Amino acid sequence: PLHALDRSPQPSRPAPGMFRSAIAQKCPGLKLPCVPHIGHFNDGSNYELARTLGAVRFMKEPHEKIPSAGFDLLMRRDNVQDIEVYLALYDMQDLRDWAYRTGRPYVVNLLFHAWLFPELAYRSEAAGEVEVAIFETSGVFIVPDVPEGVTKGLRRFEQRVWVKDKVYMCMGPDAIQARVDRHRLVCTFWSLCIPAGEERAIVTKHVLMNESHTHISREVTASFAELGDGSIACVLQHLQKLLVGVQNATHRLSKLMGRCESAFEGVFVGGGSVQGAAQDAMEIWDEQLALLDRSVGAGHTADQRPAPLLSEMLRRRVYEELGRRRRKGKFPSDDQETVEIGGRAFTTPTGATGSERSQAVHKVLIECIHDLELLSESNAELLAVEGLTV
């Protein structure tokens, strides 16, 4: 369950210096905050980056924030003495739109250049090797089949900055790749990066909001920027706005789930007759998804913003859930063939029973609600302030 922030007087005062803004310090040459970034190599022409809306570094006992899987990886490298731990929050909307517009798979690169070379000057070059792994993933997948892909075990990669045409600062190579679920609203993962020959390492929890055009997702994403300078006041403001945004989103999604689930089960929910329940159920489903789109800005066009909106993401995840039940053997998550199989079953009158459709809607909406609630709860736990109750 989610709990509201209690700002009543407490017996002890918050400890100073628990967090530090990770956005304030920027690499002068790259003009990027000295934190890990997410983007796409784009064939080396111009890196497309997700928007890093907020990031903080944990200053007090940071090692306690690291999940056990990350500690196990660190214990294999005796040379690491200094561990920096971060929380970074990203709006993936622009990057997703670019990927769909250019027909590319939703595979992104992890970029450690700004953190690795924090003093790099404009028109200067730098290169180094790092060992990287990801763990505790949700909606983010390893890419073990190619040397450029990141896995749950430490792999060595190059990180390089060079100057093009004496003016443009370029980052590369096309490495540290991870695949992101196209239809999941909230995705999270942890990463570990250890520079070769150095005693420092960086551990980061990455939170990715894949859609920020629909009102309920836009409200949650807006809370990310409230982290601001990493002060106690900013952290509490972020947690409060995140909590309110998540509560509003889960309330709206719960109403959608209840209405559609009931309709597919044959329960009369208004707007038709019981005798036409199957057709009514499909109309109610389409109507409820369309209502989510009503909050999208009038300037939104499919040509410029081709990535699926939240309504379409939910629709395709329901298709995937039905398709998964109709396939045997091993197949990856967010697989297009699975989505198409489920789509045919869902839209064909005899392709699935009303109960099957209802169960698929229920599971997908419950997972989306759970992802949002977990985001609020985990951020509240990571950003817990001594002397205040969250």
Side-chain angles (χ1 to χ4, degrees):
L2 299 175
H3 303 284
L5 291 173
D6 180 5
R7 295 195 173 189
S8 60
Q10 300 294 324
S12 59
R13 298 180 61 188
M18 295 184 66
F19 318 104
R20 178 186 297 171
S21 171
I23 298 293
Q25 182 188 359
K26 291 189 176 183
C27 170
L30 297 173
K31 297 181 180 179
L32 292 174
C34 297
V35 295
H37 293 269
I38 295 176
H40 193 287
F41 184 63
N42 190 17
D43 302 323
S45 58
N46 181 30
Y47 241 112
E48 297 289 334
L49 296 177
R51 289 199 298 152
T52 306
L53 295 184
V56 292
R57 178 180 174 185
F58 299 101
M59 304 306 296
K60 185 175 181 181
E61 299 176 339
H63 59 280
E64 293 186 354
K65 308 290 185 181
I66 305 173
S68 58
F71 250 113
D72 292 343
L73 291 167
L74 279 167
M75 291 301 101
R76 302 174 190 177
R77 297 296 182 266
D78 297 335
N79 59 301
V80 175
Q81 302 295 323
D82 180 25
I83 304 172
E84 301 177 21
V85 183
Y86 292 78
L87 169 67
L89 311 173
Y90 309 87
D91 180 357
M92 304 293 288
Q93 183 68 66
D94 291 344
L95 183 58
R96 283 178 68 240
D97 281 326
W98 174 84
Y100 273 86
R101 192 163 52 246
T102 57
R104 298 173 187 266
Y106 198 17
V107 175
V108 300
N109 300 94
L110 275 176
L111 309 167
F112 292 95
H113 305 70
W115 175 81
L116 196 59
F117 313 117
E119 306 297 331
L120 185 69
Y122 177 56
R123 292 198 290 189
S124 296
E125 299 185 341
E129 289 193 334
V130 295
E131 288 187 293
V132 179
I134 63 173
F135 51 96
E136 296 281 320
T137 60
S138 176
V140 177
F141 310 102
I142 60 174
V143 184
D145 300 332
V146 295
E148 299 84 7
V150 70
T151 67
K152 294 188 176 181
L154 288 165
R155 271 189 176 183
R156 187 166 288 233
F157 303 95
E158 183 185 7
Q159 296 281 267
R160 186 163 59 92
V161 179
W162 68 95
V163 181
K164 180 180 178 182
D165 298 332
K166 299 182 180 181
V167 176
Y168 303 105
M169 301 291 288
C170 301
M171 295 183 293
D174 185 6
I176 320 182
Q177 297 177 354
R179 185 171 68 89
V180 184
D181 194 312
R182 298 170 299 164
H183 305 136
R184 196 157 179 170
L185 180 58
V186 184
C187 297
T188 62
F189 68 101
W190 287 78
S191 70
L192 166 64
C193 173
I194 306 173
E198 296 189 29
E199 295 183 345
R200 61 178 180 142
I202 180 172
V203 181
T204 309
K205 181 177 183 181
H206 309 261
V207 178
L208 286 56
M209 281 293 290
N210 275 325
E211 199 261 23
S212 58
H213 286 316
T214 305
H215 174 70
I216 58 175
S217 52
R218 185 166 62 244
E219 187 178 5
V220 173
T221 307
S223 72
F224 290 2
E226 296 295 332
L227 276 177
D229 61 6
S231 65
I232 298 297
C234 284
V235 167
L236 292 177
Q237 181 79 350
H238 159 69
L239 292 177
Q240 184 182 49
K241 290 205 170 184
L242 176 60
L243 176 62
V244 172
V246 165
Q247 287 177 332
N248 290 339
T250 55
H251 176 70
R252 179 67 187 85
L253 293 173
S254 295
K255 288 179 63 177
L256 185 154
M257 177 181 68
R259 189 169 177 83
C260 296
E261 190 179 347
S262 297
F264 282 122
E265 287 287 2
V267 177
F268 180 67
V269 293
S273 63
V274 178
Q275 287 77 16
Q279 182 60 41
D280 288 344
M282 202 66 77
E283 289 176 357
I284 290 168
W285 166 244
D286 290 335
E287 175 190 55
Q288 290 298 306
L289 291 180
L291 287 174
L292 284 179
D293 294 342
R294 286 174 55 184
S295 61
V296 177
H300 183 280
T301 62
D303 290 341
Q304 294 300 315
R305 297 287 191 178
L309 294 169
L310 177 59
S311 59
E312 188 62 21
M313 293 163 71
L314 292 173
R315 186 193 301 274
R316 295 182 189 182
R317 286 196 69 195
V318 169
Y319 291 171
E320 183 184 3
E321 178 59 30
L322 267 183
R324 188 181 293 118
R325 301 180 185 188
R326 284 158 170 73
R327 297 189 68 179
K328 296 180 179 180
K330 291 185 177 181
F331 48 90
S333 298
D334 187 25
D335 179 68
Q336 185 60 31
E337 183 180 352
T338 308
V339 174
E340 292 172 357
I341 291 172
R344 288 192 293 270
F346 191 92
T347 56
T348 304
T350 58
T353 65
S355 180
E356 285 181 307
R357 294 186 180 96
S358 175
Q359 291 171 18
V361 169
H362 177 85
K363 183 173 182 180
V364 167
L365 268 296
I366 282 292
E367 286 177 349
C368 188
I369 290 169
H370 176 263
D371 286 346
L372 287 163
E373 291 181 337
L374 187 60
L375 167 61
S376 181
E377 292 168 1
S378 59
N379 273 25
E381 182 178 352
L382 276 175
L383 297 168
V385 177
E386 290 183 358
L388 291 180
T389 302
V390 178

